[in-house]
Amino acid sequence: MTTISLQRTHGGAVSMLPRHGYPTSDPVQSPYRIPGTASFHELAASLGVQQLVRTFGPAFPHMRILRDLVIPMPAACPVRTARIDAVIVCETGVYLFEIKAWRNAFVYRKNSDQAPPRWFLRLHGCSRAREVSDPALQGGRKTTQLRSLLPDDLRLQYFVLLPCEGVELEGVMPAAIVTHQDLSYIARLARNNGRTARSYPLLNADAIERTVQLLVDIQGELTIDDHMHNCREGREGREGREGALALTTQ
């Protein structure tokens, strides 16, 4: 099993061994998501990848993990690229993980018949909550796009991983939202369902490597910097449209 990061050189996207020395305990001090810098997210992502290695590794000896996969999105999307924090490629298929740096909080939703659910975090011991973006909706868009770029006979599943301590989920949360305590069960389920279901063929070591290369090829020349630039452009464009709409309604 190998954990690799995707970086760009002059020759294109390549697979590299990860840096060493990431902390093994919960390093994230922010109770919510990224507070304006990448450091909290990167520490949480590193912690999440360590947890994935520990839980999926024993079940899948030929597993590969790709970090920070950047994929192109359809032209109609406000952000032209998407970033996937961790991608597991193993015997039973491809598993995508969005990793959130949430900790010491209760995660819940407010549902509406007329609008998508709204997501909230409430710190333990506090009465006020903070609204956050819907990670299930974000992941669904990424999964749909990547599904269109991969062979139809390849299993593809998406999860939101909350690797930090003190996270409690509302009981009716989607099954794709998991904490580090759920990972052992998810790994066993992936192994057992993948080996008993007839819908998708199992991947041998060569097929796993070909799938990894296909994902690297999909990223191509795209980088994290490209994605961050696209996010800024998308945010500025959205703010401009909202400002113009406000002027027309005054």
Side-chain angles (χ1 to χ4, degrees):
M1 186 280 302
T2 306
T3 305
I4 57 180
S5 299
L6 296 182
Q7 300 182 7
R8 191 181 74 170
T9 65
H10 295 297
V14 296
S15 303
M16 300 186 68
L17 293 175
R19 293 166 291 175
H20 298 287
Y22 289 124
T24 56
S25 59
D26 180 357
V28 182
Q29 299 303 314
S30 169
Y32 296 114
R33 53 194 302 246
I34 314 170
T37 66
S39 59
F40 291 112
H41 175 79
E42 292 302 329
L43 288 170
S46 298
L47 178 64
V49 168
Q50 290 177 9
Q51 294 167 355
L52 291 171
V53 169
R54 287 197 298 267
T55 53
F56 276 74
F60 300 104
H62 299 295
M63 179 184 77
R64 302 288 299 277
I65 297 184
L66 285 72
R67 289 196 57 177
D68 296 328
L69 179 69
V70 179
I71 63 173
M73 294 296 284
C77 289
V79 180
R80 294 177 293 174
T81 53
R83 174 183 180 179
I84 304 170
D85 294 316
V87 181
I88 288 181
V89 184
C90 62
E91 178 184 357
T92 58
V94 177
Y95 301 88
L96 314 179
F97 287 87
E98 180 85 3
I99 301 176
K100 295 295 185 182
W102 300 341
R103 72 190 302 266
N104 294 333
F106 178 62
V107 184
Y108 66 98
R109 298 183 302 169
K110 290 184 179 179
N111 294 311
S112 169
D113 294 335
Q114 318 243 322
R118 297 168 62 194
W119 289 64
F120 295 87
L121 299 182
R122 186 177 68 240
L123 287 178
H124 295 320
C126 296
S127 58
R128 298 182 63 183
R130 174 180 175 180
E131 186 169 1
V132 294
S133 299
D134 182 345
L137 180 62
Q138 293 173 336
R141 292 169 178 163
K142 298 176 187 181
T143 305
T144 298
Q145 172 64 358
L146 194 56
R147 172 79 281 167
S148 71
L149 302 173
L150 292 173
D152 293 337
D153 62 349
L154 186 64
R155 181 191 301 273
L156 183 66
Q157 286 188 264
Y158 171 81
F159 295 93
V160 176
L161 172 60
L162 310 177
C164 302
E165 295 297 332
V167 176
E168 182 183 355
L169 300 178
E170 183 182 33
V172 294
M173 276 289 171
I177 313 300
V178 299
T179 69
H180 66 91
Q181 297 171 324
D182 303 316
L183 284 181
S184 295
Y185 172 74
I186 296 297
R188 293 196 305 272
L189 190 68
R191 180 190 62 193
N192 295 337
N193 287 353
R195 291 176 178 175
T196 57
R198 304 295 180 184
S199 304
Y200 302 97
L202 294 178
L203 305 180
N204 58 25
D206 289 340
I208 290 172
E209 295 304 319
R210 289 195 299 270
T211 303
V212 168
Q213 186 58 52
L214 177 57
L215 292 167
V216 172
D217 292 342
I218 288 172
Q219 173 165 318
E221 295 289 326
L222 293 172
T223 67
I224 294 297
D225 288 341
D226 294 333
H227 175 62
M228 298 306 294
H229 173 75
N230 292 338
C231 288
R232 287 191 295 270
E233 280 194 342
R235 182 170 58 250
E236 291 167 357
R238 182 177 66 252
E239 291 171 351
R241 290 190 296 272
E242 290 173 352
L245 179 61
L247 289 175
T248 60
T249 56
Q250 289 179 352

